[in-house]
């Protein structure tokens, strides 16, 4: 197959003829009506010849005085005949014009049904048959077909920030640049939104030709587009699947399968950091299957209460006293066992169930903590997604009211990544939470990019030094200056500090030198479930309700905000 010249892609005639409502169908109807008009015209011509011969010869003979004038009936019949002839001819001409207009309109409709009006590419409906056509051709020769599926990495952003007209202009530019980069015989389709697929015939001995096309697409996209004086920047991710690399199982390799595999490969390209291309590999499908099993498991687990809070001790490093707990989510999965949040939180965020999950967990944690000594605080982690909800503060307050839990005992941890979102909304949420007496701490400090300005504009109550710096205190020379800097920053801004990830005595000793800090880490114990927390607190006389004696303990001062009776979850 000749890959030398570039061809602009249009729907093939065969494709057009096969589509429902195609011109072919219209032409049949038009032709039927032509036949009727033509029949009338033909009949009147025959009658005209028959009648005309008799009447005209009689008329000539009568004019020469040889015969009497033609019969009046025959003359009338001839005149009627002429009228019919004119009518038939007019009708025939009208019909021809009508048929032509109809054919044109139907061709337009067909083109619209098979192409994308914005970019002129094929669409989702027509890309399948067109690719199957290429696959059939490839099978005849010894070539292969690769599908390059791609979409823009930040298209929603472009629409949101620069407007839909800019988005459309960008899509058109990407389509045009892609068409220019594709070899002859290729097919380009816009599948919808910002997703495109190109089917490219290639020599299976030279797959690098396909890599080069993908690289060109990525390079071209990276140039962005200047629209109304503003440069719109974008990148794209490409997934590639080719007919020579896959086994269709039952031996069927069709457009559907190639598109599906290319989609999986594109998902991987995105996950690997976007702005790149990836070839499909069978293991990717397994990974995707696992991922979809996780999604189903998470949805099901939410309904079955499989997500449970674990608790990690928080200590006053100076006195060594227990001051509270951080709640950390765990998934008690029936098939996978105990699963950590690093696995399921990102998925819960992606599939839109993070708020529901978080509220379940917080509600349970409030019930658990209601049994603890009221001097102990409870910290909970909040996903950036939850802070996009203008009603977030109200939701938290509702949970507090339902659990009859004093807001002053609750601390909400948000990470630096929240600050890159809608700062205005985050600011108003933080303010209304603080007005209710809830404390806000900035989690994982040092790993994000929060500026001092952001630290000042958002009224945090505490910063938590990320565990990566604390854990390596004593072993890595770089950590100490970072921790020291953060500690002195906290002092200057009057922000108390928690150090997380304290694993060793050395780290603890090093931290003590930086002033009055709170701390947490494996040195004090791993996160444990509610029952273990209760045992630990019972040992230390820090349970509000003594399960053995079933009476209220005589607790230390600061009792005012204690719930008047412990909730009934313990046995
Ligand atoms: P994080 O907020 O930084 O939580 C601390 C993590 O460090 C926990 O991991 C904890 O088990 C671990 N850790 C504690 N002490 C040490 C130590 O001494 N050394 C080391 N190496 N690690 C220590 P975990 O429980 O796996 O949680 C991971 C992350 O998941 C948390 O990081 C938090 O960002 C997120 N997360 C946990 N629960 C929730 C939740 O309910 N909602 C949301 N949105 N995120 C959560
Ligand atoms: Ca945290
Ligand atoms: Ca943290």
């Amino acid at each position: 197959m000749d890959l030398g010249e570039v061809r602009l892609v249009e729907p093939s005639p065969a494709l057009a003829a096969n589509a429902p409502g195609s011109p072919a169908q219209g032409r049949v109807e038009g032709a039927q009506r032509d036949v009727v008009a033509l029949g009338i015209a033909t009949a009147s011509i025959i009658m005209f010849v028959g009648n005309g011969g008799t009447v005209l010869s009689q008329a000539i003979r009568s004019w020469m005085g040889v015969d009497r004038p033609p019969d009046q009936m025959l003359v009338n019949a001839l005149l009627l005949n002429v009228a019919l002839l004119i009518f038939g001819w007019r009708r025939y001409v009208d019909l021809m014009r009508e048929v032509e207009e109809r054919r044109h309109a139907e061709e337009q409709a067909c083109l619209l049904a098979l192409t994308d009006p914005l970019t002129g590419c094929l669409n989702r409906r027509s890309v399948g048959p067109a690719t199957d056509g290429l696959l059939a051709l490839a099978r005849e020769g010894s070539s292969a077909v690769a599908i390059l599926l791609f979409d823009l990495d930040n298209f929603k952003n472009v629409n949101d920030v620069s407007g839909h007209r800019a988005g459309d202009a960008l899509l058109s530019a990407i389509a045009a640049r892609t068409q220019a980069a594709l070899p002859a015989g290729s097919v380009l389709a816009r599948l919808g939104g910002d997703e495109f697929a190109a089917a490219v015939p290639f020599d299976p001995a030279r797959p690098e030709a396909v890599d080069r096309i993908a690289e060109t697409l990525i390079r071209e996209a990276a140039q962005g587009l200047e629209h109304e004086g503003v440069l719109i920047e974008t990148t794209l991710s490409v997934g590639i699947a080719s007919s020579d690399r896959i086994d269709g199982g039952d031996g069927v390799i069709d457009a559907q399968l190639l598109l599906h595999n290319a989609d999986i490969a594109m998902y991987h390209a995105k996950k690997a950091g976007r702005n790149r291309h990836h070839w499909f590999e069978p293991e990717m499908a397994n990974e995707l299957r696992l991922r979809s099993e996780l999604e189903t498991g998470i949805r099901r687990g939410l309904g079955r209460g499989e997500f449970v809070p674990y608790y990690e001790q928080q200590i006053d490093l100076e006195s060594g006293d227990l001051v509270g707990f951080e709640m950390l989510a765990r998934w008690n999965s029936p098939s996978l066992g105990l699963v950590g949040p690093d696995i399921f939180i990102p998925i819960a965020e992606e599939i839109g169930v993070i708020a529901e999950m978080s509220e379940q967990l917080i509600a349970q944690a409030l019930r658990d903590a209601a049994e603890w000594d009221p001097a102990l605080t409870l910290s909970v982690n909040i996903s950036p997604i939850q802070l996009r909800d203008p009603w977030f503060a109200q939701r938290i307050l509702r949970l507090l009211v339902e659990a009859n839990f004093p807001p002053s005992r609750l601390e909400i941890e948000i990470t630096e990544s929240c600050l890159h979102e809608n700062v205005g909304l985050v600011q108003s949420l933080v303010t209304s939470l603080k007005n209710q007496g809830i404390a806000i701490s900035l989690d994982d400090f040092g790993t994000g990019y929060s500026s001092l300005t952001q630290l000042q504009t958002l009224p945090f109550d505490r910063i938590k030094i990320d565990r990566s710096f604390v854990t390596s205190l004593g072993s890595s020379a770089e950590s100490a200056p970072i921790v020291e800097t953060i500690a002195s920053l906290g002092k200057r801004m009057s922000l108390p500090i928690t150090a997380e990830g304290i694993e060793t005595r050395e780290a603890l000793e090093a931290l003590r030198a930086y002033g009055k800090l709170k701390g947490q880490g494996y040195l004090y114990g791993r996160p444990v479930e509610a029952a273990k927390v209760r045992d630990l607190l019972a040992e230390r006389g820090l349970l509000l309700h003594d399960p053995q004696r079933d009476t209220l303990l005589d607790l230390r001062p600061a009792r005012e905000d204690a719930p008047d009776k412990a909730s009934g979850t313990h046995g």
Side-chain angles (χ1 to χ4, degrees):
M1 195 167 291
D2 174 25
L3 301 185
E5 92 201 52
V6 172
R7 188 181 68 114
L8 282 192
V9 185
E10 277 173 11
S12 74
L15 207 68
N18 288 340
S22 68
Q25 198 187 337
R27 273 198 295 273
V28 170
E29 284 168 26
Q32 282 166 351
R33 283 201 275 150
D34 293 354
V35 167
V36 176
L38 205 62
I40 295 173
T42 313
S44 50
I45 288 171
I46 294 169
M47 279 168 70
F48 178 76
V49 171
N51 266 344
T54 318
V55 175
L56 279 180
S57 69
Q58 274 188 12
I60 292 170
R61 285 219 298 274
S62 131
W63 180 64
M64 289 167 66
V66 191
D67 204 348
R68 59 191 169 83
D71 183 350
Q72 193 55 41
M73 279 279 282
L74 274 179
V75 173
N76 287 348
L78 183 69
L79 288 177
L80 191 66
N81 224 273
V82 170
L84 263 179
L85 255 177
I86 294 171
F87 164 78
W89 174 249
R90 287 280 315 270
R91 182 82 194 110
Y92 180 71
V93 168
D94 282 354
L95 270 174
M96 288 310 282
R97 197 179 50 232
E98 209 177 287
V99 163
E100 182 53 29
E101 281 167 3
R102 217 185 135 102
R103 192 184 61 79
H104 184 70
E106 277 163 351
E107 256 174 25
Q108 279 306 107
C110 174
L111 205 68
L112 280 178
L114 300 178
T115 57
D116 167 48
L118 177 67
T119 59
C121 301
L122 294 191
N123 59 20
R124 185 177 280 283
R125 190 174 177 195
S126 52
V127 68
T131 305
D132 284 335
L134 286 186
L135 281 165
L137 277 176
R139 270 191 290 270
E140 280 166 23
S142 51
S143 61
V145 175
I147 290 264
L148 292 90
L149 193 98
F150 57 94
D151 76 18
L152 302 178
D153 294 326
N154 57 342
F155 189 63
K156 191 183 165 312
N157 228 11
V158 172
N159 272 335
D160 289 351
V161 175
S162 311
H164 285 261
R165 281 202 330 163
D168 284 355
L170 181 63
L171 290 176
S172 303
I174 294 289
R177 291 176 203 172
T178 304
Q179 272 175 337
L182 293 180
S186 303
V187 160
L188 177 63
R190 178 176 170 219
L191 303 182
D194 60 332
E195 196 173 60
F196 292 84
V200 180
F202 74 104
D203 175 359
R206 295 182 48 245
E208 57 291 353
V210 179
D211 286 301
R212 273 204 302 277
I213 296 173
E215 283 155 16
T216 308
L217 300 188
I218 290 169
R219 206 174 40 243
E220 286 292 328
Q223 295 191 352
L225 175 74
E226 196 166 317
H227 179 77
E228 292 172 357
V230 179
L231 179 68
I232 307 170
E233 286 179 292
T234 188
T235 59
L236 57 80
S237 305
V238 191
I240 308 172
S242 78
S243 59
D244 65 319
R245 292 206 189 182
I246 46 163
D247 167 16
D250 48 4
V252 186
I253 296 172
D254 59 3
Q256 218 48 46
L257 180 67
L258 283 180
L259 281 165
H260 177 71
N261 289 349
D263 195 26
I264 294 175
M266 184 179 79
Y267 171 77
H268 272 259
K270 293 224 176 235
K271 233 179 63 176
R274 306 171 158 199
N275 194 26
R276 65 195 63 215
H277 73 279
H278 261 298
W279 285 78
F280 170 78
E281 284 154 24
E283 303 79 65
M284 290 178 176
N286 295 339
E287 215 176 289
L288 206 71
R289 204 169 304 124
L290 175 68
R291 153 90 196 199
S292 104
E293 278 166 17
L294 280 175
E295 287 185 15
T296 320
I298 289 172
R299 287 211 164 88
R300 198 182 304 136
L302 267 176
R304 298 182 179 171
E306 288 170 9
F307 294 90
V308 291
Y310 269 50
Y311 300 96
E312 177 169 318
Q313 299 179 41
Q314 296 181 316
I315 309 289
D316 177 334
L317 293 188
E318 207 175 38
S319 64
D321 285 347
L322 175 68
V323 290
F325 290 91
E326 175 176 2
M327 187 270 278
L328 296 159
R330 297 289 182 269
W331 178 19
N332 247 325
S333 157
S335 54
L336 303 167
L338 196 65
V339 183
D342 289 341
I343 305 282
F344 63 81
I345 296 279
I347 302 179
E349 288 177 338
E350 261 177 60
I351 63 175
V353 299
I354 185 67
E356 184 187 347
M357 178 183 288
S358 175
E359 284 171 33
Q360 270 190 18
L361 285 159
I362 294 175
Q364 181 58 48
L366 293 176
R367 285 195 291 273
D368 291 340
E371 300 180 3
W372 309 339
D373 181 321
L376 297 172
T377 56
L378 171 70
S379 299
V380 298
N381 294 281
I382 292 300
S383 150
I385 311 262
Q386 290 170 273
L387 291 181
R388 292 182 195 160
D389 174 9
W391 295 100
F392 174 72
Q394 276 75 4
R395 291 177 191 282
I396 294 290
L397 289 177
R398 202 201 59 213
L399 292 175
L400 286 170
V401 169
E402 280 171 5
N404 190 22
F405 194 89
S408 56
R409 284 182 64 193
L410 185 65
E411 193 167 298
I412 283 183
E413 299 190 1
I414 64 179
T415 55
E416 283 181 84
S417 50
C418 296
L419 309 183
H420 309 310
E421 307 247 335
N422 183 346
V423 184
L425 179 59
V426 174
Q427 197 161 12
S428 80
L429 287 178
V430 166
T431 309
S432 56
L433 288 169
K434 275 179 66 86
N435 287 343
Q436 301 295 327
I438 298 168
I440 313 288
S441 42
L442 183 58
D443 203 359
D444 300 347
F445 188 74
T447 55
Y449 310 93
S450 49
S451 63
L452 281 178
T453 337
Q454 280 168 328
L455 267 187
Q456 273 161 339
T457 44
L458 287 167
F460 291 108
D461 297 290
R462 170 174 293 279
I463 45 186
K464 297 187 73 175
I465 309 179
D466 189 67
R467 62 181 183 273
S468 56
F469 307 119
V470 178
T471 308
S472 55
L473 263 184
S475 62
S476 147
E478 288 114 59
S479 300
I482 295 176
V483 174
E484 191 177 354
T485 309
I486 299 176
S488 72
L489 180 81
K491 241 180 252 158
R492 246 181 299 139
M493 299 183 70
S494 310
L495 274 175
I497 304 248
T498 297
E500 53 178 27
I502 307 174
E503 292 183 357
T504 57
R505 292 238 147 250
E506 296 82 74
L508 175 62
E509 289 315 319
L511 283 166
R512 280 201 174 127
Y514 300 130
K516 202 174 150 19
L517 307 184
K518 273 212 272 186
Q520 57 186 94
Y522 293 166
L523 182 66
Y524 299 100
R526 303 257 167 171
V528 290
E529 67 261 48
K532 293 241 170 74
V533 171
R534 227 168 23 231
D535 292 347
L536 178 132
L537 293 181
E539 259 172 41
R540 302 190 190 178
L542 290 175
L543 263 195
L544 190 62
H545 201 224
D546 181 349
Q548 254 101 52
R549 284 181 292 149
D550 206 26
T551 54
L552 282 180
L553 282 182
D554 173 27
L555 292 163
R556 296 179 305 183
R559 295 302 79 192
E560 306 88 87
D561 52 4
D564 36 22
K565 111 169 153 357
S567 83
T569 47
H570 60 82

